[in-house]
Amino acid sequence: MTTQTILPVDSEALRALSEGRNEPAWLSEGRQAALELAGSLALPKLEKTRIERWNLSAYGQYKTSNAISLNEAPEEIASLIKDEQDGTLLIQRGSSVVYSNLSKELADQGVIFTDLETAVREHEDLVKSHLHTAVKSDEHQLAALHSAIWNGGVFLYVPRNVVIDKPVQAILLAEDGTATFAPHVLIIADTNSSVVYVDNYVSGNLEAPVFHNGAAEVFVKPGAKVRFATVHQFGDQVTDITYRRAVVENDGTIEWIVGEMNTGNTASDTLSILKGNGSNSDQKTIAVGAGSQKLNYTTQAKHFGKSSASQMITRAVMREEASAIINGITKIEHGATKADGQQTERVLMLSPKARGDANPILLIDEDDVTAGHAASVGQVNQEQIYYLMSRGISREDAERLIIYGFLAPVVSDIPLEELRVQLQSLVERKLGQ
C-alpha cells in the first residue's frame, strides 16, 4: 500500500506545504513520518460498525483563506458569533484560521489563544512537548493521517493559577468540499488554573463530500480544571470521525460536554486518562440520529491514579432508520486503589426501523474500587403517551415531552446556559419540530 492510495497528497507535496508555512523541522519530519506510517496501519476497529464502507477519502487539498472581520463571517455561523466583538474567539474556515481574538485582560495574564499553526512557530516548546502525545500517530491509520495533514487548529494555554470566567470559543466551518478540513485542538491548563472551552463544528452548503478527520488533546495539570464543550452539527455531506483525549494529573478535573448533532455518518471516541491521584472525569453526551445515519459513540475512562473518579452519561435518540452503537468503557488499572467509575448509556428509538445498541464495559484490575454501569435500549412508552393524551395533550406534544424528559438528565446538568439553549434548538431541528 502506498501513501498516494490513502491520501491525495504525495510526500513531496506535503513537504512543500510544510515549508511554505515555515514549520520547524521537527514538525515537517513528523508529518512525513506519520504519512509513511499510515501506509502500514489498519483503520480503527469500531464495535459493529463497518467504517471502511464510509467515505474516508474526501480529504481535498489545502487551501488558504483570507482573514476576515466578524462582520464578514458567513451566515452559517452568524448566530454563533453575535455579541462576540470583544470576546475571545477563533474561527477556522476550511483549511485555515481566518479570525482570532484574545481579550486584553487574558493576554495580560499570560493566556495564549491562537491557531495551532501559529503556536508551532511562536510557542514551539509548549507545542512540541504535548502535540500527538495523547492522540498518538501510531494508534491507527486515521490517527497517522491526521498527524500528517492537520491544518489550522486551536491552541490554548492557561498559565498557573489563572482562572478564566468567560468561555473561550472556537468555530470550525467546513464550507468548501474541495478543501482539506482537519483541525487539531490542543489545550494545556497549567497547575491550579481553570477554563471553559467551547467549540462548534459547522458545515455550509457543500458542493462535494468532506471527510473530517479531527482530534483534540487536553492536558490538565495538577489541581487544574477544564470544562470542554463541543457541538458537532455537520450536514449530510460530511463524514465525521473525531478522537478526543484528556490526560489528567493529581487533583485535576476534566468535564466533557458533547453534543452530536450531525446528519451524516459519525464516529467519536472521547477518553479521559486519569493519570494522577484524586483526578476526576465527568463525561456527558447527547446525540440525535435521523434518516439513515450510522453512528458510533465511545466514551472511556482509564484510571491509573489512586482515589480517581469518573462518570459517563450518554443519551441518544434515534428516529426513522438511524442506528447507533453506544460504547462505555471504564478501565481501572492495578494500583488505582479507591477509584470509582460509573457509567450509564441509554438509547430511545422513535420508529420501528431505528436501531440502538448500548454496550457498557467494566475492566477492573484492582480490588479496592467501586464501579457500576447501567444501560437500556427501548422505544417510546406508549402508555406514557396515552396517559398524556388523556390529559388533553396531542400525540406530537406528548412524544416531545417524553423525549425532552429522556434527555433532561444530561441537558439540565450542562452548566452553560447558552449551550443548553443551543442544544435544545438543535434537538428540536433534528426531530423535525
Side-chain angles (χ1 to χ4, degrees), residues 31 50 126 146 180 187 212 229 326 402 417 421-422 427:
R31 289 186 185 274
R50 303 282 301 273
L126 270 175
H146 175 84
T180 303
I187 298 175
H212 170 240
I326 311 295
I402 291 171
E417 181 179 358
V421 173
Q422 180 190 0
V427 168

Side-chain angles (χ1 to χ4, degrees), residues 23-258:
E23 293 181 343
W26 64 267
L27 179 55
S28 180
E29 293 167 2
R31 289 186 185 274
Q32 292 294 318
L35 186 61
E36 182 176 354
L37 182 62
S40 62
L41 295 175
L43 289 170
K45 302 292 185 183
L46 301 186
E47 184 76 20
K48 300 178 182 179
T49 302
R50 303 282 301 273
I51 64 167
E52 66 272 14
R53 297 179 176 178
W54 295 6
N55 185 353
L56 305 183
S57 61
Y59 281 99
Q61 303 291 327
Y62 184 90
K63 292 186 176 182
T64 301
S65 299
N66 295 325
I68 63 170
S69 67
L70 287 189
N71 293 332
E72 300 171 313
E75 61 179 357
E76 291 90 348
I77 62 174
S79 63
L80 300 173
I81 62 174
K82 64 179 181 179
D83 303 325
E84 290 296 332
Q85 283 76 9
D86 299 320
T88 298
L89 173 68
L90 179 147
I91 300 173
Q92 176 163 340
R93 194 174 184 180
S95 302
S96 56
V97 170
V98 297
Y99 178 88
S100 180
N101 183 66
L102 174 64
S103 70
K104 184 179 184 301
E105 178 186 359
L106 295 183
D108 290 342
Q109 296 180 73
V111 174
I112 302 170
F113 182 62
T114 185
D115 64 277
L116 188 55
E117 291 180 13
T118 297
V120 164
R121 299 188 298 270
E122 298 182 358
H123 309 283
E124 184 174 354
D125 291 343
L126 270 175
V127 175
K128 185 177 180 180
S129 59
H130 292 86
L131 184 65
H132 305 317
T133 62
V135 181
K136 301 180 184 296
S137 302
D138 60 1
E139 285 190 27
H140 45 69
Q141 187 184 102
L142 295 184
L145 286 173
H146 175 84
S147 297
I149 67 160
W150 68 263
N151 50 42
V154 179
F155 179 74
L156 171 62
Y157 171 72
V158 186
R160 179 187 295 259
N161 298 324
V162 171
V163 176
I164 301 178
D165 296 322
K166 295 183 179 179
V168 174
Q169 300 189 65
I171 298 172
L172 304 112
L173 172 65
E175 61 174 356
D176 183 347
T178 64
T180 303
F181 182 72
H184 187 101
V185 178
L186 177 59
I187 298 175
I188 305 169
D190 215 333
T191 304
N192 294 326
S193 64
S194 179
V195 65
V196 177
Y197 168 81
V198 180
D199 65 27
N200 274 271
Y201 288 76
V202 186
S203 62
N205 295 318
L206 295 166
E207 73 283 4
V210 169
F211 173 40
H212 170 240
N213 181 355
E217 299 180 294
V218 183
F219 296 89
V220 185
K221 303 301 182 180
K225 181 177 181 179
V226 175
R227 181 174 289 159
F228 188 114
T230 181
V231 178
H232 288 227
Q233 46 179 311
F234 290 126
D236 57 9
Q237 285 277 61
V238 181
T239 298
D240 179 14
I241 299 184
T242 303
Y243 285 84
R244 310 179 188 96
R245 301 281 186 270
V247 180
V248 189
E249 299 186 20
N250 291 345
D251 299 315
T253 298
I254 177 70
E255 181 178 351
W256 300 101
I257 303 168
V258 180

Side-chain angles (χ1 to χ4, degrees), residues 405-421:
F406 175 77
L407 297 174
V410 178
V411 176
S412 64
D413 210 22
I414 294 174
L416 305 172
E417 181 179 358
E418 296 85 354
L419 189 59
R420 285 199 304 271
V421 173

Side-chain angles (χ1 to χ4, degrees), residues 172-420:
L172 304 112
L173 172 65
E175 61 174 356
D176 183 347
T178 64
T180 303
F181 182 72
H184 187 101
V185 178
L186 177 59
I187 298 175
I188 305 169
D190 215 333
T191 304
N192 294 326
S193 64
S194 179
V195 65
V196 177
Y197 168 81
V198 180
D199 65 27
N200 274 271
Y201 288 76
V202 186
S203 62
N205 295 318
L206 295 166
E207 73 283 4
V210 169
F211 173 40
H212 170 240
N213 181 355
E217 299 180 294
V218 183
F219 296 89
V220 185
K221 303 301 182 180
K225 181 177 181 179
V226 175
R227 181 174 289 159
F228 188 114
T230 181
V231 178
H232 288 227
Q233 46 179 311
F234 290 126
D236 57 9
Q237 285 277 61
V238 181
T239 298
D240 179 14
I241 299 184
T242 303
Y243 285 84
R244 310 179 188 96
R245 301 281 186 270
V247 180
V248 189
E249 299 186 20
N250 291 345
D251 299 315
T253 298
I254 177 70
E255 181 178 351
W256 300 101
I257 303 168
V258 180
E260 299 282 8
M261 299 293 158
N262 294 331
T263 55
N265 291 339
T266 304
S268 70
D269 186 309
T270 306
L271 165 64
S272 297
I273 302 171
L274 300 176
K275 178 181 175 183
N277 297 334
S279 52
N280 287 271
S281 171
D282 186 349
Q283 300 189 39
K284 302 180 181 72
T285 302
I286 67 168
V288 178
S292 58
Q293 274 186 284
K294 306 297 182 185
L295 310 172
N296 187 299
Y297 304 126
T298 298
T299 55
Q300 300 187 64
K302 291 187 178 180
H303 295 250
F304 293 91
K306 302 178 187 299
S307 300
S308 52
S310 67
Q311 175 174 282
M312 300 182 289
I313 301 176
T314 301
R315 292 283 193 279
V317 177
M318 298 294 110
R319 64 187 294 239
E320 297 167 343
E321 298 181 13
S323 63
I325 307 296
I326 311 295
N327 307 298
I329 304 172
T330 303
K331 178 72 165 72
I332 301 180
E333 303 288 350
H334 180 67
T337 56
K338 306 297 182 182
D340 181 18
Q342 306 294 330
Q343 58 169 286
T344 303
E345 297 85 37
R346 302 196 187 281
V347 183
L348 181 66
M349 297 177 293
L350 303 184
S351 74
K353 293 184 178 181
R355 293 290 180 266
D357 192 350
N359 306 297
I361 301 171
L362 299 177
L363 304 171
I364 313 297
D365 288 336
E366 179 59 56
D367 294 330
D368 187 14
V369 301
T370 304
H373 65 76
S376 68
V377 176
Q379 295 186 342
V380 174
N381 190 316
Q382 295 301 315
E383 291 184 0
Q384 293 177 344
I385 291 178
Y386 293 149
Y387 175 80
L388 292 172
M389 291 177 65
S390 72
R391 296 297 185 267
I393 298 173
S394 69
R395 172 177 285 274
E396 183 180 74
D397 288 339
E399 288 186 348
R400 182 186 297 118
L401 288 172
I402 291 171
I403 292 167
Y404 292 161
F406 175 77
L407 297 174
V410 178
V411 176
S412 64
D413 210 22
I414 294 174
L416 305 172
E417 181 179 358
E418 296 85 354
L419 189 59
R420 285 199 304 271

